[in-house]
Amino acid sequence: MRDERFDEGCERVLDLGEVHEDQAGLVGGKGAHLGALSRVDGVRVPDGFCVTTDAFRQVVAATPEVDVLLDRLAGADPDDRQAVRAIGAEVRRAVEEAGVPDDLAAEITGAVARTGEGTAYAVRSSATAEDLPTASFAGQQDTYLNIVGSAAVLRHISRCWASLFTERAVIYRRRNGIDDRTVHMAVVVQRMVFPDVSGVLFTADPVTGDRRTATVDAGFGLGEALVSGLVNPDVFRVRDGQVVARTIAVKERAVHALPGGGTQEVAVEPEQRERPALTDAQAVELVRLGRRIEDRFGRPQDIEWCLTDDGFRIVQSRPITTLFPVPDPVPETGENRTPNVYVSVGHQQMMTDAMKPLGWSMWQRTAMVPMHEAGGRLFVDVTPRLASPASRAALLDVMGKGDPLVRDALETVLERGEFGPSVPDAGPAGPPAGGAPDASVTEASVTEADPAIVAELVERSETSLAALERDIRTKSGPELFDFLAEAFEEHKRVLSDPLSIRAIMAGMEATWWLNDKLGEWLGEKNAADTLTLSAPGNITSEMGLDLLDVADAIRPHPEVVAFLNDVDVQDGDGFLDGLVKLPGGGAAREAIETYLRRYGMRCVGEIDITRPRWSERPATLVPPILDNVRNFGPGAAERRFEQGRLRALATEQDVLTRLRALPDGERKAEETKRMIDQVRAFAGYREYPKYGIVCRYFLYKQALLAEAGRLVRDGVLAEPEDVSYLTFQELEDVVRSRRADDRLIARRREEFRAYETLTPPRVLTSDGDAVSGSYRRDDVPAGALAGLAVSTGSVEGRARVMLDLADAELEEGDILVTRFTDPSWSPLFLGVAGLVTEVGGLMTHGAVIAREYGLPAVVGVDRATRLIRDGQRIRVHGTDGYVEILD
């Protein structure tokens, strides 16, 4: 029965004491962690051994039926749970029927005899894709407790192998991008512990993420009662060496081992039900052990433990994979230290998706303030600005104007009283998160509404951009990185142009002034929204209008429209070549290419340089183009702009007339007219610096991709995409050394997949506390979703919940509901009646363009894409800042 292919170099049974942490491929995640735990000073792990993945592979290789079934499983639709369930059941049956080969059974029986033949065992699955830093796979495979006798151990080892193919395990792997064939199963067999108390210790708060606060769940008997949800646990919260909170549950049931094997649910004696399972001293002692384990593995742990008469036993430890990471370096711990407070850059830039390392490191290099990475996102440390009264007030003010939830999150942190005494003001501290201009650090604002200022600024930017485009073409290798160091300084010089900052602030301050004063004098809410309609020079709104002109070039040609309807958005980027073969296709292609020459550097999530640009994936534009063809008539762009301009003009005349009728009306009207002129002169420019940044980024990207191509040709990298998983500095080192670390790149790919599943908080502390803020309002109807009013008006329609621009399929009157809208979403705004986003503020790009187009909009609506279903009818209250779900 022995498979000779597995003789040489095979290790099929290892004592846990022989296992090392780096052997996860041989003993699985659980086995590797237990082996490492057994060597942590002061930590006791039950004795046992591991049946390795070599043994599992031997059994599978000797069972050809399994190979055929795995092919079927790989071809099954991942959404067809019935097919996954049925094929998985066949695989499990084949594995269990194969059993344990005789020679392997002899090795296992020998290990059982060495540990103690009469001993009861826990037989536990340990897959190679388990207890990973990025995915715990907790509970996905099976564990069997109180297994007595060698024959029963062998039988349950086969059952553990088979559990690799349960429906829940297969689906979990699919969701984490793990191929079934790449995962193998080891089995850990340990002496059974018969505890008085057992439970779970989280060395960081699993809800808030606070790394200083540990949570202990405890109950009587075996831990299965807690894991299965049979009983509510006692919960102890331990911080800085003392219990700071406890909840003692009524524990009516427990699970205990039976003398002959197996387990049984029993009733807890009435007098014991309200007794704490642990004393405070025991909870603190357990957390001390947990901190030791956390230090060993270098990250917060989810630890399963048992307590007997002679102390604690640790039976499992895995990383807590749901915590949002903390920026490096983490400050030293200490009972009286002040935590650092970080504000999310993504919430300011309207891009909260995870960024790849090249993306976030490039943004760091070109940003105006220092930024810290965590979870593939960037954060700005605002701790110094919170430490003194004046800078704190200025920060809260500018954050509140941008996103009230950020302000509330900061105030929540401040209310905890963890900051020491205020320090004297040290002067301006630079822009807030995202590098946006801050009124507290700019020179005097522009007060004259002179259009020549904007024209001059645009010319300056274009001149600098043209020089970059000319010079970067000649650079490669180390010379390219020397050149980029200088280019990044020029990049920041353009961004920090004092005149540019003053122009942006002029538009923003005029908006705030108009909303405040016209609200006070006339009772108007968000009056500036209408007054800024069709403001000139807004590159982002022009981008949407210009796509209407593209539709005009396509609409008259039915064959072109039919052809575009068949384009595969995900894999159809050669469609431009096909257009020229159709009547009218040449004109259609020229219109699209003209558009791409001006806007092709843009894309969703454009602050991440690794994201594919429209020029690289032009098929992304096909859905919004077709929406425009279907929903608009010829000349719509010019009509829409003119309608907005006339509406703004009419509102201006109405406001000024009503002001003049008030006491001191002439002065109020004069001041208001000056502010209206100011906002119309400068509001559009607010979008231009971001356009300039993205233009420069595209040139950087093209140069770096050319370098990646050379590295691939020279055999340094496997594929050009590998550079996305290196930071800018790491890529430079690779170019200079001609050596790359393939394991680093592979690890970064895995980390990125994990980071994509995390939701970044608006505010994060160095203790790991993730704070997203809340609206403290009493003016929202029951059942409505609160948000921030950013563009006035009310509209009712069908909700279209969209997470990707490529999914665009809109009809007139639809309301777009999405997570965030950076400038690349603007072409869709013309085809919808309203906008709802989860992220955003008064001056973020989506809000600016919504006002520009006269689109009722509410942003910052927590979990909008999950609480609103696609197709539901909703009502958007853009003036009052909430959304009603009507059905």
Side-chain angles (χ1 to χ4, degrees):
M1 296 287 293
R2 191 178 184 89
D3 191 321
E4 299 299 331
R5 290 173 295 173
F6 289 87
D7 281 356
E8 187 176 348
C10 255
E11 296 182 275
R12 301 189 298 180
V13 180
L14 292 174
D15 286 340
L16 276 181
E18 301 176 81
V19 171
H20 292 272
E21 185 182 357
D22 60 0
Q23 292 182 296
L26 184 64
V27 298
K30 186 182 285 99
H33 275 77
L34 286 170
L37 278 171
S38 68
R39 285 183 289 279
V40 176
D41 185 40
V43 174
R44 293 193 290 175
V45 176
D47 294 336
F49 60 90
C50 186
V51 182
T52 71
T53 57
D54 282 349
F56 171 79
R57 285 198 294 269
Q58 176 184 350
V59 171
V60 170
T63 314
E65 182 185 355
V66 171
D67 200 50
V68 174
L69 289 169
L70 288 180
D71 283 340
R72 286 177 54 197
L73 190 60
D77 183 343
D79 295 324
D80 187 348
R81 297 191 67 146
Q82 184 174 353
V84 170
R85 185 183 307 119
I87 300 169
E90 291 185 62
V91 179
R92 293 197 302 278
R93 185 165 50 252
V95 171
E96 287 195 52
E97 289 176 355
V100 181
D102 292 345
D103 57 334
L104 176 60
E107 288 187 53
I108 294 171
T109 301
V112 169
R114 288 194 301 275
T115 311
E117 178 61 42
T119 301
Y121 289 92
V123 182
R124 314 172 69 196
S125 301
S126 180
T128 51
E130 183 175 297
D131 295 353
L132 302 174
T134 55
S136 71
F137 280 76
Q140 299 306 309
Q141 284 82 222
D142 291 343
T143 286
Y144 302 96
L145 300 178
N146 200 27
I147 306 303
V148 179
S150 296
V153 168
L154 291 171
R155 187 167 61 253
H156 285 87
I157 286 171
S158 286
R159 295 178 69 182
C160 283
W161 286 338
S163 74
L164 189 63
F165 303 103
T166 61
E167 177 188 1
R168 66 180 182 271
V170 172
I171 289 174
Y172 192 94
R173 287 195 291 272
R174 299 281 175 89
R175 287 176 179 167
N176 284 274
I178 297 173
D179 186 343
D180 294 319
R181 289 185 180 276
T182 66
V183 183
H184 305 291
M185 179 69 83
V187 181
V188 173
V189 181
Q190 289 177 280
R191 280 180 180 269
M192 185 69 189
V193 177
F194 301 99
D196 301 314
V197 181
S198 57
V200 180
L201 160 65
F202 297 96
T203 63
D205 189 309
V207 177
T208 68
D210 183 358
R211 269 61 164 181
R212 288 175 71 182
T213 302
T215 301
V216 178
D217 290 0
F220 297 133
L222 294 168
E224 297 306 295
L226 301 185
V227 174
S228 65
L230 177 65
V231 299
N232 291 323
D234 293 346
V235 180
F236 299 82
R237 288 168 57 81
V238 179
R239 183 179 176 91
D240 297 332
Q242 61 182 357
V243 174
V244 295
R246 70 182 64 74
T247 303
I248 307 304
V250 177
K251 298 170 283 296
E252 297 184 350
R253 312 293 293 175
V255 173
H256 288 287
L258 292 171
T263 60
Q264 181 180 37
E265 178 186 326
V266 299
V268 175
E269 295 295 330
E271 64 272 15
Q272 297 293 315
R273 292 177 181 175
E274 296 185 42
R275 180 174 71 81
L278 294 175
T279 66
D280 283 6
Q282 288 171 326
V284 170
E285 179 189 353
L286 177 61
V287 171
R288 286 199 190 101
L289 280 177
R291 294 294 181 213
R292 202 171 293 171
I293 295 169
E294 181 182 68
D295 289 343
R296 170 63 182 80
F297 292 115
R299 58 187 301 154
Q301 297 287 299
D302 166 358
I303 299 167
E304 295 180 20
W305 55 270
C306 299
L307 177 63
T308 61
D309 289 341
D310 62 346
F312 288 103
R313 298 286 195 282
I314 303 301
V315 296
Q316 186 164 338
S317 184
R318 62 170 70 91
I320 306 175
T321 58
T322 56
L323 298 178
F324 199 87
V326 176
D328 290 329
V330 178
E332 293 183 6
T333 58
E335 294 188 14
N336 298 315
R337 67 180 176 82
T338 297
N340 287 44
V341 181
Y342 303 92
V343 171
S344 165
V345 172
H347 285 82
Q348 309 297 312
Q349 290 293 333
M350 296 293 283
M351 210 295 275
T352 57
D353 288 349
M355 298 168 70
K356 294 174 183 172
L358 185 60
W360 58 254
S361 63
M362 284 286 285
W363 196 260
Q364 279 180 320
R365 290 284 182 121
T366 54
M368 300 305 298
V369 293
M371 294 183 178
H372 306 266
E373 183 271 338
R377 281 79 169 186
L378 291 171
F379 295 84
V380 170
D381 187 351
V382 297
T383 312
R385 302 194 67 181
L386 293 174
S388 64
S391 62
R392 179 188 308 160
L395 177 69
L396 292 174
D397 181 59
V398 75
M399 290 288 102
K401 286 176 176 174
D403 183 345
L405 291 179
V406 173
R407 175 173 183 145
D408 183 78
L410 289 171
E411 289 176 334
T412 298
V413 173
L414 290 169
E415 286 166 4
R416 295 172 183 167
E418 294 180 341
F419 278 86
S422 295
V423 300
D425 292 310
D438 179 353
S440 68
V441 297
T442 60
E443 300 177 29
S445 296
V446 174
T447 55
E448 294 298 323
D450 183 359
I453 294 174
V454 171
E456 179 186 345
L457 288 168
V458 170
E459 183 179 359
R460 288 184 192 179
S461 178
E462 290 181 348
T463 299
S464 176
L465 185 64
L468 173 64
E469 185 172 13
R470 179 191 67 239
D471 296 340
I472 202 170
R473 291 174 182 166
T474 64
K475 305 298 188 292
S476 64
E479 185 185 12
L480 171 63
F481 288 87
D482 293 337
F483 171 80
L484 286 174
E486 298 175 4
F488 293 165
E489 292 306 309
E490 170 66 5
H491 182 120
K492 289 190 276 191
R493 187 198 65 77
V494 172
L495 275 183
S496 60
D497 183 333
L499 182 62
S500 176
I501 294 174
R502 295 203 302 274
I504 292 171
M505 289 308 304
M508 293 171 68
E509 288 171 348
T511 298
W512 298 331
W513 190 96
L514 288 167
N515 284 336
D516 290 345
K517 292 300 183 181
L518 296 184
E520 176 188 344
W521 294 337
L522 299 176
E524 294 277 352
K525 281 188 177 181
N526 305 322
D529 292 359
T530 306
L531 294 167
T532 55
L533 289 171
S534 298
N538 188 315
I539 189 72
T540 306
S541 63
E542 289 171 2
M543 181 169 65
L545 294 171
D546 286 350
L547 202 63
L548 287 175
D549 291 337
V550 173
D552 286 353
I554 290 170
R555 191 180 296 104
H557 307 294
E559 291 182 56
V560 172
V561 174
F563 174 81
L564 292 178
N565 272 299
D566 290 335
V567 169
D568 183 343
V569 175
Q570 301 302 324
D571 190 31
D573 289 327
F575 78 95
L576 289 172
D577 293 333
L579 280 176
V580 295
K581 303 171 185 176
L582 304 171
R589 174 172 175 163
E590 175 58 29
I592 294 172
E593 289 182 335
T594 298
Y595 186 85
L596 289 173
R597 280 193 289 273
R598 190 175 190 204
Y599 304 111
M601 75 297 295
R602 310 216 81 151
C603 68
V604 172
E606 61 195 9
I607 70 171
D608 182 353
I609 196 173
T610 70
R611 292 287 189 103
R613 310 285 132 172
W614 290 343
S615 289
E616 298 166 326
R617 195 168 290 174
T620 304
L621 292 173
V622 169
I625 289 173
L626 290 173
D627 283 347
N628 287 347
V629 169
R630 184 172 58 252
N631 296 329
F632 295 94
E638 185 176 349
R639 282 198 309 277
R640 287 289 295 263
F641 185 84
E642 184 61 13
Q643 287 168 359
R645 190 186 69 82
L646 292 174
R647 186 177 164 198
L649 182 61
T651 300
E652 175 184 328
Q653 295 306 316
D654 175 64
V655 163
L656 295 178
T657 298
R658 290 161 61 197
L659 285 173
R660 291 188 181 104
L662 298 177
D664 198 20
E666 284 300 329
R667 179 189 61 81
K668 292 175 179 175
E670 182 180 339
E671 289 181 2
T672 299
K673 171 61 175 169
R674 181 165 57 83
M675 287 298 180
I676 291 173
D677 289 346
Q678 185 168 311
V679 79
R680 291 195 63 80
F682 298 114
Y685 179 71
R686 165 73 175 78
E687 293 293 298
Y688 192 84
K690 180 72 173 289
Y691 174 75
I693 291 172
V694 176
C695 287
R696 301 180 78 90
Y697 261 49
F698 191 45
L699 295 175
Y700 303 151
K701 179 177 186 178
Q702 288 174 311
L704 292 174
L705 283 180
E707 199 61 39
R710 285 186 281 271
L711 292 170
V712 171
R713 287 194 296 275
D714 293 345
V716 178
L717 295 177
E719 54 181 319
E721 173 67 8
D722 286 351
V723 301
S724 297
Y725 298 97
L726 298 171
T727 66
F728 181 81
Q729 184 60 58
E730 290 165 348
L731 176 55
E732 180 177 352
D733 292 343
V734 168
V735 169
R736 294 185 186 277
S737 69
R738 314 305 291 175
R739 292 193 302 273
D741 185 344
D742 294 337
R743 290 176 300 178
L744 172 65
I745 292 170
R747 188 178 79 242
R748 291 276 178 74
R749 287 181 189 273
E750 291 180 8
E751 288 174 348
F752 178 72
R753 281 197 295 267
Y755 292 159
E756 286 184 298
T757 68
L758 299 178
T759 300
R762 284 175 166 83
V763 170
L764 180 67
T765 75
S766 55
D767 288 337
D769 206 355
V771 189
S772 289
S774 61
Y775 294 104
R776 308 187 190 193
R777 298 172 53 182
D778 56 11
D779 61 340
V780 176
L785 308 179
L788 176 64
V790 296
S791 185
T792 194
S794 177
V795 65
E796 179 181 324
R798 180 182 68 159
R800 293 309 316 270
V801 180
M802 292 171 49
L803 303 181
D804 193 324
L805 185 68
D807 297 331
E809 189 175 333
L810 299 165
E811 296 179 4
E812 188 176 357
D814 283 349
I815 296 171
L816 174 62
V817 180
T818 189
R819 289 176 300 166
F820 57 78
T821 56
D822 61 7
S824 67
W825 286 80
S826 301
L828 294 188
F829 286 16
L830 288 163
V832 297
L835 174 69
V836 178
T837 69
E838 294 180 347
V839 176
L842 190 63
M843 298 308 296
T844 48
H845 301 278
V848 170
I849 304 307
R851 291 193 291 272
E852 184 82 10
Y853 289 160
L855 196 67
V858 179
V859 303
V861 180
D862 186 39
R863 297 177 296 146
T865 60
R866 284 170 279 180
L867 297 176
I868 300 172
R869 296 195 311 273
D870 187 57
Q872 277 186 313
R873 289 198 66 78
I874 63 174
R875 184 179 296 122
V876 177
H877 294 265
T879 305
D880 297 312
Y882 62 88
V883 180
E884 291 181 286
I885 300 176
L886 303 179
D887 59 36

